[in-house]
Amino acid sequence: MAKKPEIPHVVVSRLPIYLRALEHARQEGLTCISSQELGERLSISSAQIRKDLSMFGEYGKQGRGYPVDALIHALRQHLHVDRVWDVVLVGVGDLGHALARYKGFAERGFRIAMAFDKDPAKIGTTAGDLTVEDIRLLARRVQEAGIKIGMIATPAAAAQEVANLLVFAGVRAILNYAPIHLTVPNDVRVEYLDPVIPLQRMTYYL
Amino acid sequence: MAKKPEIPHVVVSRLPIYLRALEHARQEGLTCISSQELGERLSISSAQIRKDLSMFGEYGKQGRGYPVDALIHALRQHLHVDRVWDVVLVGVGDLGHALARYKGFAERGFRIAMAFDKDPAKIGTTAGDLTVEDIRLLARRVQEAGIKIGMIATPAAAAQEVANLLVFAGVRAILNYAPIHLTVPNDVRVEYLDPVIPLQRMTYYL
DNA sequence: TAGATTGTTAATCGATTAACAATC
DNA sequence: TAGATTGTTAATCGATTAACAATC
């Protein structure tokens, strides 16, 4: 039952890219798209796209391509974004504020439901349409709300401690903006968004 | 001569991760670190680390590990972050402001040198310690300054047009926060930081 | 029907790992 | 010296690509 454990992560990691491109294609009015057209838009080979998608079912029609609406629907289901996930934000500096106000989450399956900071000067202030709460209340509040996703926007020095707290509170997926590798239990996922890493990946070639 | 073209990108992409971890290790006072210790901190196998590093030279000492300082120095050279790169920022909304004020760039090799927006209400205002400039001046200003790195923090609808402008102005590396795939010439690098993509990669497993 | 495109197989390609002689 | 760890080789593992019968 669980989660088709046979799908390689490298394939899973491409699905959100496909989904995003399909949503753009739909906005343009496309109702059907071939693996070749999709591949050209994403700089991915059409064979790869067909192989990836075929792992989840037979969504395509020979001679026509993939029905955009149905494929969007299916990918959302497989990715579990056919619902809205509540997210807890920790760290409400400049970046935390920007995240709290970012409109792009809601339309794509995520809602920042709570924001915490440890700085007394920030607690009680507003971030987006949230009130910043005391981090000492995090565990109880997150547990009670059953929140499974956390975003860390603190300085690096605080990030591991925050991660431990989130895991203790029941969070199972962490988006980490702090520039540090996190150590978490095996059943917890972490994704990293330190902007300097991709910059340094590119300067190698400059 | 050029840029050892034989190093696979997957190896290059891990170097900034190694560099970051080594800088943390140095802060802790370590002067030497084994591939095993480094691997444990990063959840990477020690064999992989040794293989990756050996592509650039013989930095390790048998029986002791890698001298932290020397390896940091070498990695910075290989990644070309043994200097400070000027960066141009386009789009000064909430995210653009947060980026303009982020302290983490300067210490790791990057300086946002200019910020542009197309909104007349924003032009002339302040972002970090920069004055926001009219995007119509971008090409000339960036060309004259010889800036090679751009950051796009505009809405998705504007991002491709901005990318074209940056490429025209001589930019060869783009960090794209907008939720859209960019099409650029072969000799231009793009890295993506749409936060929804990693979130959706994780919800698959929830 | 004719043309186009899928899903899938087999072949290729590339990355990771295990193991160990060399050596600090 | 003895113990530890590197750099490297060969083996394993996994991902991508090419090609095509099936079929819309």
Side-chain angles (χ1 to χ4, degrees):
Chain A
M1 248 283 92
K3 196 61 37 37
K4 302 122 185 165
E6 73 277 10
I7 309 283
H9 180 67
V10 66
V11 174
V12 172
S13 77
R14 281 190 292 261
L15 296 186
I17 310 275
Y18 298 161
L19 177 57
R20 191 177 63 181
L22 288 162
E23 284 165 343
H24 287 141
R26 177 159 70 179
Q27 274 191 321
E28 294 166 22
L30 284 188
T31 59
C32 209
I33 191 167
S34 68
S35 58
Q36 183 165 67
E37 166 70 9
L38 190 57
E40 276 165 18
R41 289 172 176 233
L42 295 174
S43 316
I44 293 178
S45 80
S46 62
Q48 176 123 92
I49 289 172
R50 288 198 304 279
K51 192 145 209 294
D52 287 352
L53 296 179
S54 74
M55 297 189 140
F56 297 92
E58 310 203 348
Y59 297 107
K61 313 276 182 201
Q62 285 97 328
R64 326 233 8 252
Y66 296 85
V68 174
D69 265 327
L71 189 51
I72 286 173
H73 187 73
L75 286 181
R76 283 189 180 150
Q77 281 190 328
H78 290 300
L79 288 169
H80 303 154
V81 287
D82 52 348
R83 76 186 83 176
V84 175
W85 289 91
D86 278 352
V87 177
V88 50
L89 170 65
V90 187
V92 190
D94 288 320
L95 176 62
H97 268 283
L99 293 171
R101 298 173 55 137
Y102 182 54
K103 294 285 181 291
F105 289 125
E107 26 193 77
R108 291 163 73 200
F110 301 91
R111 182 179 80 99
I112 300 184
M114 303 175 183
F116 294 88
D117 204 294
K118 75 170 182 187
D119 180 356
K122 284 178 187 154
I123 295 163
T125 63
T126 299
D129 46 16
L130 297 170
T131 298
V132 179
E133 301 180 59
D134 188 328
I135 196 167
R136 288 174 295 187
L137 304 177
L138 186 150
R140 185 148 46 91
R141 293 266 291 134
V142 166
Q143 247 156 22
E144 282 177 9
I147 294 180
K148 296 296 168 206
I149 305 176
M151 288 181 20
I152 299 180
T154 68
Q160 181 63 60
E161 199 182 347
V162 167
N164 299 345
L165 185 57
L166 288 171
V167 170
F168 173 77
V171 162
R172 287 295 169 267
I174 294 175
L175 191 66
N176 181 32
Y177 279 89
I180 190 169
H181 179 86
L182 299 178
T183 301
V184 298
N186 269 338
D187 62 339
V188 176
R189 299 253 146 199
V190 183
E191 293 269 346
Y192 296 87
L193 284 176
D194 174 0
V196 174
I197 299 291
L199 285 173
Q200 292 183 340
R201 281 177 183 153
M202 294 192 290
T203 51
Y204 177 85
Y205 299 99
L206 287 181
Chain B
M1 250 281 91
K3 195 62 35 39
K4 301 123 185 164
E6 73 276 9
I7 309 283
H9 179 67
V10 67
V11 174
V12 172
S13 76
R14 282 190 291 262
L15 298 185
I17 310 274
Y18 299 160
L19 177 57
R20 192 176 63 182
L22 289 163
E23 283 165 344
H24 288 141
R26 176 159 70 179
Q27 274 191 321
E28 295 166 22
L30 285 186
T31 59
C32 208
I33 191 167
S34 68
S35 58
Q36 184 167 65
E37 166 70 10
L38 191 56
E40 276 165 17
R41 290 173 175 230
L42 294 174
S43 315
I44 294 178
S45 80
S46 63
Q48 177 123 91
I49 289 172
R50 289 198 303 279
K51 192 144 210 292
D52 286 353
L53 294 180
S54 75
M55 297 189 139
F56 296 92
E58 309 203 347
Y59 296 108
K61 314 277 181 201
Q62 284 98 327
R64 324 232 10 250
Y66 297 84
V68 173
D69 265 328
L71 189 52
I72 285 173
H73 187 73
L75 286 181
R76 282 189 181 151
Q77 282 190 328
H78 290 300
L79 288 169
H80 304 154
V81 289
D82 52 348
R83 76 188 81 177
V84 174
W85 289 91
D86 277 351
V87 176
V88 50
L89 170 65
V90 186
V92 191
D94 289 320
L95 176 62
H97 268 283
L99 293 171
R101 298 172 55 134
Y102 182 54
K103 295 285 181 291
F105 289 125
E107 26 193 76
R108 293 163 72 200
F110 301 92
R111 180 179 82 100
I112 300 183
M114 303 175 183
F116 295 88
D117 204 292
K118 76 170 182 187
D119 179 357
K122 286 178 185 154
I123 295 162
T125 64
T126 300
D129 47 15
L130 297 171
T131 299
V132 178
E133 302 179 58
D134 189 327
I135 196 167
R136 286 173 294 185
L137 305 177
L138 187 150
R140 184 148 47 92
R141 293 267 289 133
V142 166
Q143 247 156 20
E144 282 176 8
I147 294 180
K148 295 298 169 205
I149 305 176
M151 289 181 20
I152 300 180
T154 67
Q160 181 63 60
E161 200 182 349
V162 167
N164 298 346
L165 186 57
L166 288 172
V167 170
F168 173 77
V171 162
R172 287 296 169 266
I174 295 175
L175 190 66
N176 180 32
Y177 279 89
I180 191 170
H181 180 88
L182 298 178
T183 301
V184 297
N186 269 339
D187 62 339
V188 176
R189 297 255 147 196
V190 183
E191 293 269 346
Y192 296 88
L193 285 176
D194 174 0
V196 174
I197 299 291
L199 286 172
Q200 292 182 340
R201 279 175 183 156
M202 296 193 288
T203 51
Y204 177 84
Y205 299 98
L206 288 183

